[in-house]
Amino acid sequence: MAVAEIDERLRAEIRERQRHRERIARLTAGDSLALPPEVVEFLDRLRALGVDERIVRVERDGWIPLSAHSPERVPEWAARKREQLDDPQFVDFYVTLGHALGRADDDPRLVELAYKLAAYISRVADEQGEEYVDDADVEPPFAKLMDALAFDTAPPARRLIELLKERGWAGWAKLERVEPVRRPR
């Protein structure tokens, strides 16, 4: 009996220390200091899904000005992001983009990702409507700022956007259907 009690006490202490470590990691990341809880939850879920930390940073860096600019919309936007993470194809996009970071702009995986992402966005737009695809409703200057943050943190994102435009989609923070751009041969 005494051994079982000691074992249970040690297990409880281990669980408590793990919770402390998780809190310290969140404080180190700074997420909970600058972001609403629903966004911190979304970022934590990205990490739990194995999304590259650089992608999580792009998301976090985008949420900071977005939360400051339109705090009343954050719960709605965060709910949409959580919904998207229920789609394995969407999660695969995040993971594949993470693998493409640090690679050359002509990396075939980036081209493949653009095809997959364009097909995914088109499917969602056809099923849910184009307003569902881009419901952030941010002004163009603000969208440019958010795009610049993404491109500075993850330079391959700029090439991905060029590839998406060739496939009929433009924008990062403000996604919209466009006429596909054909590159000269």
Side-chain angles (χ1 to χ4, degrees), residues 43 46 51-60 94-95 97-99 101 153-154:
L43 297 174
L46 286 177
V51 173
D52 187 287
E53 189 60 32
R54 291 170 292 185
I55 302 298
V56 176
R57 198 172 331 127
V58 167
E59 283 286 341
R60 183 197 64 217
Y94 271 116
V95 172
L97 181 58
H99 293 308
L101 293 176
T153 306

Side-chain angles (χ1 to χ4, degrees), residues 115-134:
Y115 275 114
K116 283 182 179 179
L117 185 56
Y120 172 80
I121 295 167
S122 296
R123 178 181 59 83
V124 171
D126 292 344
E127 291 173 0
Q128 304 281 339
E130 287 191 31
E131 65 282 347
Y132 182 86
V133 171
D134 181 33

Side-chain angles (χ1 to χ4, degrees), residues 35 39 43 55-68 77 142 145-147 149-150 153 172-173:
L35 293 168
V39 175
L43 297 174
I55 302 298
V56 176
R57 198 172 331 127
V58 167
E59 283 286 341
R60 183 197 64 217
D61 291 351
W63 278 101
I64 291 171
L66 196 59
S67 297
W77 291 330
F142 193 68
L145 168 69
M146 292 181 60
D147 288 354
L149 286 170
T153 306
W172 185 269

Side-chain angles (χ1 to χ4, degrees), residues 85-105:
L85 290 181
D86 290 336
D87 185 334
Q89 192 174 3
F90 189 80
V91 173
D92 183 57
F93 156 69
Y94 271 116
V95 172
T96 304
L97 181 58
H99 293 308
L101 293 176
R103 306 252 180 218
D105 281 349

